[in-house]
Amino acid sequence: MSGENGYTYAHAGVDIDAGNALVKRIKPLVKATMRAGADAEIGGFGGLFDLKACGFTDPVLVAANDGVGTKLKVAIEANAHDTVGIDLVAMSVNDLVVQGAEPLFFLDYFATGKLDVGAARTIIAGIAQGCKEAGCALVGGETAEMPGMYAKGDYDLAGFAVGAVERSEALTGAHVAEGDVILGLASTGVHSNGFSLVRKVVERSGLAWDAPAPFVPGKTLAAALLTPTRIYVKSTLAAIKVGGAAQRNIKALAHITGGGLVDNVPRVLPDTLQAEIDGASWELPPVFQWLMKTGGVPVADLIRTFNCGIGMIAVVEPDAEQRVSRVLAEHGETVRRIGRIVRRPRDGEGCILRNVNW
């Protein structure tokens, strides 16, 4: 068909002009993430990064990708899109730093049924903010308008991060030993895991997203639950490097995501060792107390679904505990000793939580 009775791409639901308008509006946000190795310009077919400009001698690249999960449903239903971009960056860059890697650049994928330029700009502003917090450049991304794939107002996000670490300084967990100390770094809340369960509990509570949050004063329920995932990059990299890499202040890091402490900590330990964690060494934050009480969530499910207040752990030798804790605290982390590394019994689990009286 052609002429007056024909179809255009706009008739099919895709607005190319809106996409171009979005690119123009986000260019200053992207430019603000510029760092050594990348000018953070967008508009080309691919993002360029100059690894040599970063000063690495014998680098190994580390890559990670992730999304935000059904936390996006809370943002969509509450019409609050300013923080989920930070979550998107955090979920990938926190995985990179666990390897000892410095995040270098990030790309995003934003898909929706009908492009709302204002909302999309707000989302990408959050992504740019997350990149600045992590010290990486936003070098590109993709915006996909797909009518018929998403309900009105719905969208999805995915992100991809690349970092690098000197080959000799990569964190593999190989140096973890019996007697090492486990430090816990506080989370900022639920982060970006378990929101299918969170939304079920909210549904049972009967509360609207704009109702006062029962577990934190001065915030709506949506704002409290949308508190973005903490980015641990700059604090942990500083702690790794204090006193020189040869000191190996931090032997292993674990990002506590889906599966909680019990599933994530063993991923960075040798098979012969076990993490013994004292549940009485920190207080379960109010948001998790509320979820457990309101939803009748069993403790075992709480532990396997959420971070329960610990968003990252660091395994350090006893002599390094004070200096690592000091550097982490200087970079804004709330740090506490939560456990130790012991020999793993035959057929034993990789992580045991004791004294859990929540």
Side-chain angles (χ1 to χ4, degrees):
M1 298 179 70
S2 61
E4 293 183 359
N5 297 320
Y7 290 124
T8 66
Y9 209 8
H11 287 139
V14 179
D15 189 342
I16 295 174
D17 290 335
N20 290 336
L22 175 62
V23 171
K24 289 181 180 179
R25 292 188 64 181
I26 65 175
K27 276 191 174 183
L29 301 172
V30 174
K31 188 71 174 179
T33 70
M34 184 174 62
R35 57 151 293 154
D39 60 11
E41 289 284 359
I42 57 170
F45 288 92
L48 300 177
F49 193 92
D50 182 0
L51 193 58
K52 186 177 180 180
C54 298
F56 288 97
T57 302
D58 183 23
V60 175
L61 293 179
V62 185
N65 71 305
D66 211 333
V68 185
T70 57
K71 189 174 188 176
L72 290 179
K73 293 293 290 182
V74 180
I76 292 165
E77 291 170 12
N79 193 28
H81 311 290
D82 55 331
T83 58
V84 289
I86 300 174
D87 286 297
L88 182 68
V89 176
M91 293 303 288
S92 287
V93 297
N94 284 343
D95 282 354
L96 292 186
V97 80
V98 162
Q99 312 293 322
E102 174 190 351
L104 301 176
F105 61 87
F106 188 85
L107 298 100
D108 69 274
Y109 176 79
F110 170 65
T112 186
K114 179 67 176 176
L115 183 61
D116 179 332
V117 174
R121 183 198 177 280
T122 299
I123 293 162
I124 294 169
I127 295 172
Q129 177 61 35
C131 286
K132 287 195 287 186
E133 290 183 21
C136 63
L138 180 57
V139 299
E142 172 71 7
T143 300
E145 193 174 24
M146 299 190 289
M149 284 290 290
Y150 296 91
K152 183 179 179 181
D154 279 356
Y155 61 86
D156 198 11
L157 292 173
F160 183 90
V162 172
V165 60
E166 294 289 1
R167 189 182 307 272
S168 62
E169 298 173 12
L171 294 182
T172 64
H175 296 279
V176 176
E178 185 177 0
D180 284 344
V181 171
I182 303 172
L183 300 178
L185 282 62
S187 67
T188 50
V190 182
H191 285 184
S192 298
N193 296 101
F195 269 85
S196 295
L197 178 54
V198 169
R199 289 166 46 245
K200 283 289 186 183
V201 174
V202 170
E203 183 181 344
R204 172 182 278 195
S205 76
L207 293 173
W209 293 120
D210 60 356
F215 47 87
V216 59
K219 286 190 175 184
T220 65
L221 181 60
L225 291 173
L226 288 171
T227 300
T229 306
R230 185 164 182 82
I231 293 175
Y232 298 98
V233 170
K234 291 183 179 178
S235 60
T236 52
L237 286 178
I240 289 169
K241 294 173 182 176
V242 65
Q247 292 219 23
R248 291 202 179 273
N249 295 292
I250 293 179
K251 294 184 174 183
L253 292 166
H255 183 201
I256 310 306
T257 55
L261 289 159
V262 293
D263 283 355
N264 285 290
V265 176
R267 295 168 65 182
V268 299
L269 302 181
D271 291 341
T272 56
L273 298 176
Q274 179 185 78
E276 187 178 81
I277 294 177
D278 182 3
S281 59
W282 77 96
E283 184 178 352
L284 185 70
V287 60
F288 300 109
Q289 295 180 32
W290 180 78
L291 288 168
M292 184 169 60
K293 181 178 178 181
T294 305
V297 180
V299 171
D301 270 56
L302 197 79
I303 290 169
R304 291 290 298 275
T305 306
F306 301 113
N307 64 64
C308 294
I310 303 296
M312 180 78 75
I313 68 99
V315 179
V316 303
E317 62 180 31
D319 289 348
E321 179 181 358
Q322 287 190 356
R323 64 174 174 268
V324 169
S325 297
R326 173 179 52 79
V327 172
L328 290 170
E330 287 172 351
H331 283 76
E333 304 296 352
T334 300
V335 189
R336 51 180 59 83
R337 181 175 182 166
I338 64 168
R340 60 184 183 138
I341 300 297
V342 299
R343 185 162 299 281
R344 184 170 178 171
R346 184 186 297 271
D347 299 325
E349 301 293 329
C351 180
I352 297 293
L353 265 69
R354 305 194 187 282
N355 303 318
V356 178
N357 299 311
W358 300 333

